[in-house]
Amino acid sequence: MNFTSQMRYNPETGEYEKYYRLKESYRNASGRACTRILLNVGFIHGLKPEEIRDISCGLTYKYEHQGEHELWDDQMAVYNDVVRQKIEEYWQRLVEEKGGTAMLITLWRVPA
């Protein structure tokens, strides 16, 4: 998963700002590379580019390790509090908007 951004008019601030979407890349049945939008995040304020990257890495980790229990270290401990909070916020939005964790597994494993 990764974030992509597009300059859009933000009616709240009256300025053009980056509008973020969380996307994933996959190959369709014919082998063609495609992308799909998983979540329209919106305008993100107060985060550095490195933190936005860390959020996408944390979300990818959560997806790849669903249902597993951490035996030793909490892998999210490498991220600062704000990044961990955003990872949890966006993960919950993904689960709620895509119909639950089972739907996420289906969404990510079966090319559309």
Side-chain angles (χ1 to χ4, degrees):
M1 282 182 263
N2 64 305
F3 281 103
T4 60
S5 64
Q6 174 185 14
M7 294 302 287
R8 290 177 64 170
Y9 178 77
N10 184 346
E12 291 181 11
T13 63
E15 297 180 10
Y16 281 88
E17 299 176 12
K18 289 184 177 182
Y19 183 89
Y20 290 90
R21 291 182 174 95
L22 186 64
K23 296 175 91 174
E24 99 168 311
S25 299
Y26 67 97
R27 294 206 177 265
N28 65 13
S30 64
R32 194 174 122 234
C34 301
T35 62
R36 82 175 116 234
I37 296 172
L38 299 175
L39 185 67
N40 287 308
V41 174
F43 301 102
I44 298 176
H45 298 105
L47 293 178
K48 300 173 192 165
E50 300 82 23
E51 292 173 321
I52 293 171
R53 180 204 60 221
D54 289 347
I55 293 168
S56 68
C57 291
L59 287 167
T60 300
Y61 180 85
K62 279 186 78 75
Y63 164 69
E64 291 175 346
H65 296 88
Q66 290 181 72
E68 295 178 10
H69 298 286
E70 300 290 337
L71 295 177
W72 290 280
D73 295 330
D74 176 13
Q75 297 300 316
M76 296 295 162
V78 299
Y79 304 123
N80 68 40
D81 291 339
V82 173
V83 169
R84 286 197 307 267
Q85 175 192 2
K86 289 294 185 184
I87 290 169
E88 289 304 318
E89 176 187 335
Y90 297 153
W91 181 257
Q92 286 305 311
R93 283 183 56 192
L94 279 167
V95 169
E96 291 168 8
E97 293 177 20
K98 299 299 180 188
T101 307
M103 182 60 181
L104 284 176
I105 292 169
T106 304
L107 177 67
W108 276 316
R109 299 251 166 115
V110 178

